[in-house]
Amino acid sequence: MSSPANAAAMPRVAVVGMYAFLIVSALFFLAPFLVILINSVKPMADIRSGNLLTLPSEITFEPWRIAWSSACTGLDCSGIKPGLWNSILITVPAVVISVLTGALNGYALAQWRSRFADWLMLFILIGLFVPYQAMLYPTVKILSGMGIFRSYTGIIFVHVVYGLPYTTLLFRNFYVGVPDEISRAARMEGASFLRTFWSVILPISTNIIVVVAILQFTGIWNDYLLGLIFAGNDNLPMTVQLTNIVNNSRGAAEPNVNMAAALLAAIPTLIVYFVSGRYFVRGIATGAVKG
Amino acid sequence: MARWFQRQMFRPTFTVVAFFAVIAIFFYGSIGWTFLMSLTKSSLMPRYDFVGFEKYADLMDNKRWIVSCINMVVFGALFIVGSLILGSILAIFIDRGIRFEGVFRTIFLYPLAISLIVTGLGWRWLLDPTLGIQAMVRDMGWENFAFDWITEPDRAIYTLVIASVWRSAGLVMIIVLAGLRSVDGDLWKAIRMEKIPQWRAYVQVIFPGMRPVFASCIVLLMSEVIRGYDLIVAMTNGGPGISTEMPAKFAVDFFFSRMNLSLASAASILMLLLSLLMLAPYLYSEFRRRD
């Protein structure tokens, strides 16, 4: 690849400057994470006598234990544990259903020929950019009508439906590039549209499935607003419970406990990020250039 | 009926129609309903006593709404420019075959995996005058050092900029990097032959050729600005006073806790119009390119 002068060909001063900039930036990016990590294992006495950036005099996992099982969200003092469980129960089915519906719709759209196709793509594309605020209240009313507002089914339903334009477009853009011969051959064999989708198309879609699953997992796990409004008190996700612990007005938890709780909420998506590395990057790069 | 249904299974049309019905109801139907409500005097419950655009006029007299809009513009401009500059510089450096490229990329990108709630809390703690950076510098001996922006009504908005640039610069970096890596090698050869200094090559040749890449970055960042809710709730909750309120939070607050449906609906519709206005040039060029 013929590219800009790489580091080896640059003047020495420039190379030093470049690395200095990169290292300072890296520190800026790492700072909040390191501060949270260090203080989550620091005894409260250290925080009172010093500041967040001093190193702990001893390492204690007591804040983690409290954050996990006895920090208070309002009147209830059972830590962030129920939130983690709720988030898993919400995220896993919502991701599976989003991926399947997105793939089915995306495949159908890619197969579907119509002179309105371009207009309908615009119709979906705009859906990507609609601020939730312009849909929230009517959605509350529709879900109340269906009897699933503030329920477990309701929050999953909302995640799937609100994610639909996004998942569908990602799959559609992938399937447009899949040779039509594959579907045609299956149809010749007498397979129905659904049959073709299930046994021929899905198995060759592993890459895009992983990308969409990662995007949806991060998005749904990190969601706050929809969980707050649609989940109901028994299913509040971890993000909502975390803010409840931190902002608890009656005897707020100590900073080290808050930080341990914040880390617990961040760990699942960080694991997905580190494990899936390249897929995550590809996901945001494809997801970014929507349409 | 059963046979008709069975026949549909062979066709994508059925899925396409079902999909568009869901989008039409939940997205466009909800938007329509929100718009209708914005024309009424509904407060706690929807009432259909139309008063025209009275609520939009009320918004213009509402100090909190005006402050929210000004904040969004200030925050949006600084956040977008900041993310573009930092992200582009990082992309340029990463593109030069630096050592530990993987490590740097991982560090610059991990914030994207973390929720805005945790991001906001992390920066809130780091910038807390009695615990964070200010306390650290004072403990090191500079007793008069002040970095208390987060508690200053005039400055708090800048702390939101810092936190959001922290989170989104990696996104810009990865998109710009993909753009840089697809720049034609011959272009670089020509630049070297002409002995154009590297920084000028980027500013005058390379980046202007990547206009679509920057356009999609800007569209993405703008939509984040208009939707911005979680970060504000976690970091400043709109304060001190109303100094960091923004439209997305205004709408949610008036829908769900201040019970002023019509005013919240009017605010949401204005947010939607703004999104579409921002999106229009992008969509226009996208569709023209396709024809």
Side-chain angles (χ1 to χ4, degrees):
Chain A
M1 182 175 56
S2 176
S3 62
N6 61 26
M10 283 162 64
R12 205 179 177 91
V13 187
V15 174
V16 172
M18 181 174 83
Y19 278 105
F21 186 88
L22 284 171
I23 289 167
V24 171
S25 305
L27 287 177
F28 168 68
F29 280 90
L30 285 173
F33 182 76
L34 290 180
V35 167
I36 295 180
L37 182 67
I38 290 171
N39 288 281
S40 73
V41 293
K42 206 190 257 184
M44 203 43 217
D46 282 11
I47 298 182
R48 277 201 207 94
S49 65
N51 57 62
L52 294 181
L53 293 105
T54 47
L55 288 175
S57 60
E58 57 167 327
I59 287 179
T60 162
F61 289 99
E62 190 61 12
W64 284 71
R65 203 188 54 73
I66 298 174
W68 175 246
S69 58
S70 63
C72 298
T73 63
L75 289 174
D76 176 37
C77 292
S78 46
I80 206 165
K81 187 170 52 180
L84 176 81
W85 191 230
N86 288 340
S87 279
I88 293 174
L89 284 179
I90 292 169
T91 309
V92 172
V95 169
V96 172
I97 301 173
S98 302
V99 166
L100 286 178
T101 51
L104 179 64
N105 292 325
Y107 177 57
L109 274 182
Q111 287 283 300
W112 186 62
R113 307 268 178 274
S114 157
R115 61 205 167 90
F116 302 116
D118 261 4
W119 285 105
L120 291 172
M121 291 310 290
L122 182 68
F123 185 79
I124 307 174
L125 204 56
I126 289 176
L128 288 178
F129 290 91
V130 175
Y132 286 167
Q133 282 76 6
M135 304 153 46
L136 277 180
Y137 194 78
T139 309
V140 169
K141 285 288 160 191
I142 298 173
L143 263 56
S144 304
M146 294 163 70
I148 55 171
F149 176 52
R150 289 182 158 270
S151 75
Y152 176 61
T153 325
I155 181 66
I156 293 180
F157 184 82
V158 167
H159 277 305
V160 172
V161 170
Y162 279 18
L164 212 49
Y166 193 43
T167 52
T168 302
L169 268 188
L170 286 171
F171 275 105
R172 184 226 168 236
N173 291 349
F174 174 80
Y175 289 134
V176 162
V178 171
D180 207 30
E181 282 72 39
I182 298 178
S183 319
R184 222 177 294 150
R187 230 173 299 140
M188 296 286 214
E189 299 284 319
S192 69
F193 168 70
L194 283 181
R195 179 94 217 152
T196 313
F197 168 71
W198 186 256
S199 5
V200 181
I201 297 298
L202 263 194
I204 59 166
S205 320
T206 330
N207 277 345
I208 186 77
I209 289 176
V210 175
V211 166
V212 175
I214 290 170
L215 285 173
Q216 283 296 89
F217 181 88
T218 339
I220 296 173
W221 187 277
N222 289 341
D223 157 72
Y224 171 79
L225 180 58
L226 298 182
L228 182 68
I229 296 173
F230 292 100
N233 287 335
D234 295 336
N235 311 299
L236 290 179
M238 220 170 172
T239 44
V240 178
Q241 298 220 340
L242 172 64
T243 48
N244 286 346
I245 288 179
V246 173
N247 297 332
N248 189 0
S249 49
R250 42 183 78 225
E254 294 168 323
N256 50 1
V257 173
N258 288 337
M259 298 198 193
L263 266 189
L264 283 166
I267 283 174
T269 46
L270 281 176
I271 292 177
V272 168
Y273 170 60
F274 283 112
V275 171
S276 66
R278 198 175 304 152
Y279 279 106
F280 185 90
V281 173
R282 201 190 308 168
I284 43 183
T286 31
V289 194
K290 292 163 178 165
Chain B
M1 185 70 194
R3 284 203 39 207
W4 175 86
F5 191 77
Q6 211 174 22
R7 217 172 334 122
Q8 296 312 309
M9 291 301 189
F10 288 91
R11 301 195 181 127
T13 317
F14 181 75
T15 311
V16 171
V17 170
F19 166 67
F20 278 111
V22 171
I23 301 286
I25 294 169
F26 279 91
F27 284 74
Y28 293 88
S30 296
I31 293 168
W33 193 351
T34 306
F35 178 63
L36 277 186
M37 281 193 300
S38 76
L39 302 177
T40 67
K41 285 204 293 201
S42 311
S43 50
L44 185 61
M45 295 296 275
R47 292 204 328 241
Y48 299 93
D49 44 354
F50 293 98
V51 291
F53 290 89
E54 201 180 293
K55 288 293 162 182
Y56 292 85
D58 286 357
L59 271 183
M60 298 311 147
D61 286 335
N62 187 313
K63 185 173 173 236
R64 191 170 150 186
W65 171 254
I66 300 296
V67 170
S68 300
C69 290
I70 296 171
N71 283 342
M72 183 177 68
V73 173
V74 172
F75 165 80
L78 293 173
F79 160 62
I80 291 174
V81 171
S83 305
L84 284 179
I85 292 178
L86 182 57
S88 305
I89 296 178
L90 293 177
I92 291 174
F93 288 168
I94 295 264
D95 191 32
R96 302 186 150 234
I98 54 163
R99 276 171 208 236
F100 311 115
E101 178 188 324
V103 178
F104 280 118
R105 274 167 68 128
T106 308
I107 293 174
F108 299 148
L109 276 173
Y110 88 93
L112 287 172
I114 294 182
S115 66
L116 284 162
I117 294 291
V118 174
T119 302
L121 291 175
W123 280 100
R124 172 168 130 194
W125 292 324
L126 202 56
L127 298 176
D128 184 316
T130 57
L131 286 173
I133 296 173
Q134 174 176 311
M136 176 192 73
V137 178
R138 286 192 181 179
D139 286 352
M140 288 185 339
W142 286 277
E143 303 278 328
N144 296 320
F145 176 81
F147 185 48
D148 54 357
W149 290 6
I150 201 162
T151 58
E152 288 283 316
D154 297 340
R155 302 269 169 80
I157 191 97
Y158 304 123
T159 62
L160 290 174
V161 174
I162 296 175
S164 354
V165 169
W166 177 81
R167 199 178 121 101
S168 296
L171 176 71
V172 174
M173 178 196 80
I174 206 73
I175 299 174
V176 172
L177 187 61
L180 284 175
R181 297 225 154 134
S182 58
V183 167
D184 193 352
D186 289 341
L187 192 55
W188 277 113
K189 246 180 245 163
I191 287 169
R192 232 163 295 152
M193 300 256 272
E194 298 283 334
K195 293 202 165 42
I196 302 174
Q198 297 254 325
W199 67 269
R200 267 191 59 195
Y202 280 110
V203 175
Q204 297 187 334
V205 184
I206 303 291
F207 283 164
M210 285 169 44
R211 227 173 290 145
V213 172
F214 286 104
S216 42
C217 285
I218 292 174
V219 168
L220 277 178
L221 297 176
M222 278 204 271
S223 109
E224 260 175 63
V225 170
I226 299 172
R227 294 172 179 211
Y229 176 80
D230 298 9
L231 184 75
I232 304 166
V233 168
M235 206 165 151
T236 62
N237 203 17
I242 57 166
S243 62
T244 53
E245 288 289 341
M246 297 223 198
K249 183 165 176 294
F250 181 97
V252 173
D253 287 354
F254 278 80
F255 268 128
F256 297 103
S257 46
R258 294 180 166 225
M259 301 302 173
N260 192 335
L261 281 186
S262 47
L263 197 68
S265 300
S268 308
I269 293 297
L270 290 182
M271 285 172 58
L272 174 68
L273 287 180
L274 184 66
S275 308
L276 294 181
L277 210 67
M278 303 281 189
L279 198 58
Y282 179 73
L283 286 180
Y284 178 72
S285 65
E286 274 287 297
F287 274 77
R288 209 182 41 179
R289 207 172 53 191
R290 211 171 285 172
D291 287 340

